[in-house]
């Protein structure tokens, strides 16, 4: 078919419009996070510089990540809380994520009280959904267990199992709490789910052995604890499994 007279012929390489320019704030945030992950000290310096230049909650989040990757947990938690407060002022939906990150950092710092407060704020924000919502409930359950609130932890774990059902940790912690509260049928059901999702996790196998032993199932308990020794020799889990095997007269 003949070309239409007078119709311009597109030059090679000009068939498609050029890609849109990347948002400079998003680009700087990405660079900052890359530094915070790959070179945390450099990421810390970049985040502080960006914060002083008006980087807002994104700069503060990057600073929190840089601190977390240096295991400076209280500093990380403080940076995430500052990010959350600034995001709230700006009406940003990121506030819930920042509060959740702060709660997780407080847990790593060994401060369940502050963790509980931050996670309360994350959940009240209404900004979390799906897996992040489930993980926030999971972390708040950890904080509640650490402060002796087993009933509250049970409620949070039940919610975590709805929104973060694919996370083996949800099932493991639910099984452990059920065992501690004397609910062995629930403990057995939940540890079976954890085993299905993560059979090579030493912590899951250790708990499976603990639950089997309480149920009077010695062969299953022995097998689970022996598996711990195979998966993670020399680990705290292996030491616990070795001690548990001694109740059956096993020599390891």
């Amino acid at each position: 078919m003949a070309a239409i007279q007078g119709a311009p012929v597109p030059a090679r390489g000009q068939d498609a419009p050029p890609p849109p320019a990347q948002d400079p704030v998003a680009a700087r945030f990405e660079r900052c996070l890359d530094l915070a992950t790959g070179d945390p000290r450099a990421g810390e310096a970049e985040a502080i510089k960006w914060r002083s230049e008006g980087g807002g909650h994104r700069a503060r989040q990057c600073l929190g990540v840089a601190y977390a990757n240096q295991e400076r947990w209280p500093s990380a938690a403080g940076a995430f809380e500052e990010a959350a407060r600034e995001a709230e002022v700006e009406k940003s939906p990121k506030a819930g994520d920042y509060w959740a990150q702060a709660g997780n950092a407080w847990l790593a710092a060994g401060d369940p009280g502050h963790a509980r407060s931050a996670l309360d704020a994350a959940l009240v924000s209404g900004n979390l959904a799906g897996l992040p919502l489930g993980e926030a409930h999971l972390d708040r359950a950890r904080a509640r267990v650490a402060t002796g609130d087993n009933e509250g932890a049970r409620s949070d774990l039940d919610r975590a199992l709805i929104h973060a059902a694919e996370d083996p940790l949800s099932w493991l912690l639910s099984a452990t709490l059920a065992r501690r509260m004397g609910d062995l049928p629930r403990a057995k059901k939940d540890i079976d789910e954890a085993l299905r999702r993560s059979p090579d996790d030493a912590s899951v196998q250790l708990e499976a052995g603990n639950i089997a032993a309480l149920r009077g199932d010695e062969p299953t308990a022995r097998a689970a604890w022996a598996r711990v020794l195979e998966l993670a020799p020399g680990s705290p889990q292996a030491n616990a499994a070795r001690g548990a095997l001694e109740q059956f007269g096993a020599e390891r």
Side-chain angles (χ1 to χ4, degrees):
M1 180 181 297
I4 300 174
Q5 293 295 321
V9 178
R12 189 179 301 275
Q14 295 181 352
D15 305 71
Q22 186 177 10
D23 176 1
V25 174
R28 184 161 187 180
F29 180 59
E30 186 176 326
R31 289 195 303 271
C32 190
L33 281 185
D34 285 345
L35 275 177
T37 303
D39 186 350
R41 289 189 179 278
E44 175 188 349
E46 166 62 15
I48 290 172
K49 179 176 183 292
W50 189 21
R51 183 182 62 183
S52 71
E53 295 169 354
H57 58 83
R58 294 175 183 83
R60 296 178 190 279
Q61 184 196 19
C62 183
L63 182 59
V65 173
Y67 285 143
N69 282 315
Q70 297 174 67
E71 298 187 0
R72 294 165 59 184
W73 300 115
S75 296
F80 290 134
E81 288 186 346
E82 288 176 359
R85 293 189 185 97
E86 190 155 346
E88 286 175 342
V89 170
E90 296 179 15
K91 309 296 185 185
S92 168
K94 294 294 291 179
D97 291 328
Y98 299 150
W99 282 120
Q101 288 178 302
N104 191 270
W106 282 124
L107 283 171
D111 190 334
H114 275 104
R116 168 71 187 275
S117 296
L119 291 159
D120 284 347
L123 292 165
V124 165
S125 74
N127 300 140
L128 302 179
L131 182 60
L133 176 60
E135 298 290 355
H137 277 294
L138 178 60
D139 281 343
R140 192 168 70 172
R142 293 167 58 203
R144 282 177 150 166
V145 167
T147 56
D149 181 10
N150 286 343
E151 293 294 338
R154 178 73 272 162
S155 176
D156 270 322
L157 283 172
D158 287 344
R159 291 176 179 271
L161 292 176
I162 294 171
H163 300 287
E166 294 308 309
D167 186 345
L169 182 60
S170 298
W171 296 100
L172 170 60
L173 295 186
S174 182
T176 301
L177 182 61
R179 171 177 61 79
R180 291 175 177 172
M181 297 177 73
D183 186 352
L184 291 184
R186 174 69 185 271
K188 172 67 165 58
K189 171 182 174 294
D190 289 354
I191 200 61
D192 285 347
E193 290 290 343
L195 284 166
R196 185 170 70 82
R197 289 169 169 78
S198 191
D200 294 332
D201 186 317
S203 294
V204 171
Q205 290 288 351
L206 178 63
E207 185 59 33
N210 294 341
I211 293 167
L214 284 175
R215 296 177 66 248
D217 186 351
E218 179 179 337
T220 298
R222 281 180 177 271
W225 289 331
R227 182 66 176 142
V228 174
L229 300 181
E230 295 172 2
L231 290 169
S235 67
Q237 292 88 344
N239 292 337
R242 190 174 293 108
L245 281 164
E246 291 176 357
Q247 69 183 284
F248 297 132
E251 296 181 5
R252 295 276 173 178

